[in-house]
PDB file of all heavy atoms in Angstrom:
ATOM      1  N   LYS A  66     115.497 124.770  38.950  1.00  0.00           N
ATOM      2  CA  LYS A  66     114.170 124.974  39.518  1.00  0.00           C
ATOM      3  C   LYS A  66     113.506 126.251  39.003  1.00  0.00           C
ATOM      4  O   LYS A  66     112.308 126.273  38.713  1.00  0.00           O
ATOM      5  CB  LYS A  66     114.255 125.026  41.041  1.00  0.00           C
ATOM      6  CG  LYS A  66     114.509 123.679  41.709  1.00  0.00           C
ATOM      7  CD  LYS A  66     114.487 123.822  43.218  1.00  0.00           C
ATOM      8  CE  LYS A  66     114.657 122.488  43.914  1.00  0.00           C
ATOM      9  NZ  LYS A  66     114.634 122.610  45.391  1.00  0.00           N
ATOM     10  N   THR A  73     108.527 119.892  25.157  1.00  0.00           N
ATOM     11  CA  THR A  73     108.744 119.462  23.766  1.00  0.00           C
ATOM     12  C   THR A  73     110.159 119.782  23.313  1.00  0.00           C
ATOM     13  O   THR A  73     110.798 118.986  22.621  1.00  0.00           O
ATOM     14  CB  THR A  73     107.709 120.120  22.841  1.00  0.00           C
ATOM     15  OG1 THR A  73     106.403 119.646  23.194  1.00  0.00           O
ATOM     16  CG2 THR A  73     107.973 119.773  21.385  1.00  0.00           C
ATOM     17  N   ALA A  75     112.806 119.892  25.178  1.00  0.00           N
ATOM     18  CA  ALA A  75     113.698 118.913  25.805  1.00  0.00           C
ATOM     19  C   ALA A  75     113.627 117.571  25.074  1.00  0.00           C
ATOM     20  O   ALA A  75     114.655 116.905  24.886  1.00  0.00           O
ATOM     21  CB  ALA A  75     113.328 118.737  27.276  1.00  0.00           C
ATOM     22  N   ILE A  86     125.747 112.009  18.949  1.00  0.00           N
ATOM     23  CA  ILE A  86     126.819 111.103  19.372  1.00  0.00           C
ATOM     24  C   ILE A  86     126.960 109.924  18.413  1.00  0.00           C
ATOM     25  O   ILE A  86     128.066 109.426  18.193  1.00  0.00           O
ATOM     26  CB  ILE A  86     126.618 110.627  20.824  1.00  0.00           C
ATOM     27  CG1 ILE A  86     127.947 110.060  21.371  1.00  0.00           C
ATOM     28  CG2 ILE A  86     125.489 109.612  20.944  1.00  0.00           C
ATOM     29  CD1 ILE A  86     127.972 109.838  22.865  1.00  0.00           C
ATOM     30  N   ASP A 107     125.944  96.238  20.237  1.00  0.00           N
ATOM     31  CA  ASP A 107     125.984  94.784  20.106  1.00  0.00           C
ATOM     32  C   ASP A 107     125.127  94.097  21.164  1.00  0.00           C
ATOM     33  O   ASP A 107     124.790  92.921  21.029  1.00  0.00           O
ATOM     34  CB  ASP A 107     127.422  94.270  20.224  1.00  0.00           C
ATOM     35  CG  ASP A 107     128.199  94.430  18.925  1.00  0.00           C
ATOM     36  OD1 ASP A 107     127.570  94.733  17.895  1.00  0.00           O
ATOM     37  OD2 ASP A 107     129.433  94.263  18.952  1.00  0.00           O
ATOM     38  N   ARG A 115     118.831 111.245  33.185  1.00  0.00           N
ATOM     39  CA  ARG A 115     118.875 111.778  34.546  1.00  0.00           C
ATOM     40  C   ARG A 115     118.865 113.295  34.479  1.00  0.00           C
ATOM     41  O   ARG A 115     119.075 113.878  33.430  1.00  0.00           O
ATOM     42  CB  ARG A 115     120.102 111.273  35.299  1.00  0.00           C
ATOM     43  CG  ARG A 115     120.115 109.743  35.437  1.00  0.00           C
ATOM     44  CD  ARG A 115     121.319 109.227  36.200  1.00  0.00           C
ATOM     45  NE  ARG A 115     121.298 107.762  36.265  1.00  0.00           N
ATOM     46  CZ  ARG A 115     121.331 107.050  37.377  1.00  0.00           C
ATOM     47  NH1 ARG A 115     121.392 107.664  38.551  1.00  0.00           N
ATOM     48  NH2 ARG A 115     121.302 105.732  37.347  1.00  0.00           N
ATOM     49  N   GLU A 126     129.194 118.316  33.046  1.00  0.00           N
ATOM     50  CA  GLU A 126     129.823 118.937  31.877  1.00  0.00           C
ATOM     51  C   GLU A 126     131.320 118.677  31.816  1.00  0.00           C
ATOM     52  O   GLU A 126     131.920 118.725  30.735  1.00  0.00           O
ATOM     53  CB  GLU A 126     129.581 120.441  31.901  1.00  0.00           C
ATOM     54  CG  GLU A 126     128.189 120.857  31.465  1.00  0.00           C
ATOM     55  CD  GLU A 126     128.108 122.345  31.206  1.00  0.00           C
ATOM     56  OE1 GLU A 126     128.409 123.116  32.146  1.00  0.00           O
ATOM     57  OE2 GLU A 126     127.773 122.733  30.080  1.00  0.00           O
ATOM     58  N   ARG A 141     123.077 116.769  27.822  1.00  0.00           N
ATOM     59  CA  ARG A 141     124.433 116.263  27.593  1.00  0.00           C
ATOM     60  C   ARG A 141     124.364 114.753  27.463  1.00  0.00           C
ATOM     61  O   ARG A 141     123.791 114.062  28.313  1.00  0.00           O
ATOM     62  CB  ARG A 141     125.382 116.665  28.720  1.00  0.00           C
ATOM     63  CG  ARG A 141     126.866 116.340  28.404  1.00  0.00           C
ATOM     64  CD  ARG A 141     127.810 117.099  29.317  1.00  0.00           C
ATOM     65  NE  ARG A 141     129.216 116.821  29.051  1.00  0.00           N
ATOM     66  CZ  ARG A 141     129.945 117.416  28.118  1.00  0.00           C
ATOM     67  NH1 ARG A 141     129.380 118.346  27.338  1.00  0.00           N
ATOM     68  NH2 ARG A 141     131.218 117.115  27.935  1.00  0.00           N
ATOM     69  N   TRP A 151     128.793 103.050  36.058  1.00  0.00           N
ATOM     70  CA  TRP A 151     128.533 104.473  35.865  1.00  0.00           C
ATOM     71  C   TRP A 151     129.611 105.330  36.542  1.00  0.00           C
ATOM     72  O   TRP A 151     130.028 105.033  37.663  1.00  0.00           O
ATOM     73  CB  TRP A 151     127.187 104.845  36.472  1.00  0.00           C
ATOM     74  CG  TRP A 151     126.001 104.465  35.650  1.00  0.00           C
ATOM     75  CD1 TRP A 151     125.547 103.216  35.410  1.00  0.00           C
ATOM     76  CD2 TRP A 151     125.128 105.358  34.970  1.00  0.00           C
ATOM     77  NE1 TRP A 151     124.437 103.261  34.624  1.00  0.00           N
ATOM     78  CE2 TRP A 151     124.147 104.560  34.340  1.00  0.00           C
ATOM     79  CE3 TRP A 151     125.051 106.749  34.837  1.00  0.00           C
ATOM     80  CZ2 TRP A 151     123.119 105.119  33.574  1.00  0.00           C
ATOM     81  CZ3 TRP A 151     124.033 107.298  34.091  1.00  0.00           C
ATOM     82  CH2 TRP A 151     123.074 106.487  33.464  1.00  0.00           C
ATOM     83  N   GLY A 162     111.942 113.291  38.899  1.00  0.00           N
ATOM     84  CA  GLY A 162     111.930 114.745  38.903  1.00  0.00           C
ATOM     85  C   GLY A 162     112.116 115.372  37.544  1.00  0.00           C
ATOM     86  O   GLY A 162     112.528 116.531  37.441  1.00  0.00           O
ATOM     87  N   ASP A 167     104.938 122.310  28.670  1.00  0.00           N
ATOM     88  CA  ASP A 167     105.077 123.299  27.606  1.00  0.00           C
ATOM     89  C   ASP A 167     104.309 124.547  27.999  1.00  0.00           C
ATOM     90  O   ASP A 167     103.085 124.484  28.233  1.00  0.00           O
ATOM     91  CB  ASP A 167     104.524 122.753  26.286  1.00  0.00           C
ATOM     92  CG  ASP A 167     105.483 121.800  25.603  1.00  0.00           C
ATOM     93  OD1 ASP A 167     106.687 122.122  25.518  1.00  0.00           O
ATOM     94  OD2 ASP A 167     105.033 120.736  25.148  1.00  0.00           O
ATOM     95  N   PRO A 176     106.677 119.828   8.090  1.00  0.00           N
ATOM     96  CA  PRO A 176     106.403 118.698   7.205  1.00  0.00           C
ATOM     97  C   PRO A 176     107.593 118.265   6.362  1.00  0.00           C
ATOM     98  O   PRO A 176     107.555 117.190   5.752  1.00  0.00           O
ATOM     99  CB  PRO A 176     105.266 119.231   6.320  1.00  0.00           C
ATOM    100  CG  PRO A 176     105.466 120.716   6.305  1.00  0.00           C
ATOM    101  CD  PRO A 176     105.980 121.059   7.678  1.00  0.00           C
ATOM    102  N   LYS A 212     124.709 109.019   2.565  1.00  0.00           N
ATOM    103  CA  LYS A 212     124.442 110.335   1.987  1.00  0.00           C
ATOM    104  C   LYS A 212     123.301 111.022   2.720  1.00  0.00           C
ATOM    105  O   LYS A 212     123.367 112.227   3.020  1.00  0.00           O
ATOM    106  CB  LYS A 212     124.107 110.188   0.506  1.00  0.00           C
ATOM    107  CG  LYS A 212     123.844 111.501  -0.201  1.00  0.00           C
ATOM    108  CD  LYS A 212     123.559 111.283  -1.686  1.00  0.00           C
ATOM    109  CE  LYS A 212     123.278 112.599  -2.399  1.00  0.00           C
ATOM    110  NZ  LYS A 212     122.989 112.376  -3.852  1.00  0.00           N
ATOM    111  N   ARG A 227     105.977 115.356  18.382  1.00  0.00           N
ATOM    112  CA  ARG A 227     104.598 115.758  18.641  1.00  0.00           C
ATOM    113  C   ARG A 227     103.799 114.542  19.103  1.00  0.00           C
ATOM    114  O   ARG A 227     104.140 113.391  18.796  1.00  0.00           O
ATOM    115  CB  ARG A 227     103.936 116.335  17.378  1.00  0.00           C
ATOM    116  CG  ARG A 227     104.585 117.614  16.844  1.00  0.00           C
ATOM    117  CD  ARG A 227     104.396 118.788  17.779  1.00  0.00           C
ATOM    118  NE  ARG A 227     104.916 120.032  17.206  1.00  0.00           N
ATOM    119  CZ  ARG A 227     106.168 120.448  17.345  1.00  0.00           C
ATOM    120  NH1 ARG A 227     107.044 119.724  18.047  1.00  0.00           N
ATOM    121  NH2 ARG A 227     106.554 121.601  16.805  1.00  0.00           N
ATOM    122  N   THR A 258     105.379 103.116  21.567  1.00  0.00           N
ATOM    123  CA  THR A 258     105.541 104.448  22.146  1.00  0.00           C
ATOM    124  C   THR A 258     105.759 105.535  21.102  1.00  0.00           C
ATOM    125  O   THR A 258     105.291 106.655  21.271  1.00  0.00           O
ATOM    126  CB  THR A 258     106.729 104.485  23.123  1.00  0.00           C
ATOM    127  OG1 THR A 258     107.932 104.140  22.414  1.00  0.00           O
ATOM    128  CG2 THR A 258     106.518 103.528  24.284  1.00  0.00           C
ATOM    129  N   HIS A 264     111.496 110.056   7.775  1.00  0.00           N
ATOM    130  CA  HIS A 264     112.949 109.862   7.693  1.00  0.00           C
ATOM    131  C   HIS A 264     113.426 109.836   6.245  1.00  0.00           C
ATOM    132  O   HIS A 264     114.590 110.114   5.963  1.00  0.00           O
ATOM    133  CB  HIS A 264     113.345 108.565   8.403  1.00  0.00           C
ATOM    134  CG  HIS A 264     112.770 107.334   7.781  1.00  0.00           C
ATOM    135  ND1 HIS A 264     111.489 106.904   8.061  1.00  0.00           N
ATOM    136  CD2 HIS A 264     113.296 106.458   6.887  1.00  0.00           C
ATOM    137  CE1 HIS A 264     111.253 105.795   7.357  1.00  0.00           C
ATOM    138  NE2 HIS A 264     112.309 105.512   6.652  1.00  0.00           N
ATOM    139  N   ASP A 265     112.499 109.517   5.329  1.00  0.00           N
ATOM    140  CA  ASP A 265     112.861 109.478   3.912  1.00  0.00           C
ATOM    141  C   ASP A 265     112.974 110.875   3.306  1.00  0.00           C
ATOM    142  O   ASP A 265     113.353 111.012   2.138  1.00  0.00           O
ATOM    143  CB  ASP A 265     111.822 108.668   3.134  1.00  0.00           C
ATOM    144  CG  ASP A 265     110.392 109.166   3.354  1.00  0.00           C
ATOM    145  OD1 ASP A 265     110.144 109.808   4.395  1.00  0.00           O
ATOM    146  OD2 ASP A 265     109.549 108.905   2.488  1.00  0.00           O
ATOM    147  N   ALA A 275     125.256 123.376  12.378  1.00  0.00           N
ATOM    148  CA  ALA A 275     125.453 122.102  13.062  1.00  0.00           C
ATOM    149  C   ALA A 275     124.812 122.192  14.430  1.00  0.00           C
ATOM    150  O   ALA A 275     124.612 123.287  14.963  1.00  0.00           O
ATOM    151  CB  ALA A 275     126.942 121.788  13.197  1.00  0.00           C
TER     152      ALA A 275
END
Side-chain angles (χ1 to χ4, degrees):
K66 287 184 177 180
T73 295
I86 198 167
D107 280 349
R115 299 181 182 236
E126 283 193 302
R141 189 163 180 84
W151 282 70
D167 281 314
K212 181 178 179 180
R227 297 292 185 271
T258 60
H264 63 277
D265 54 337

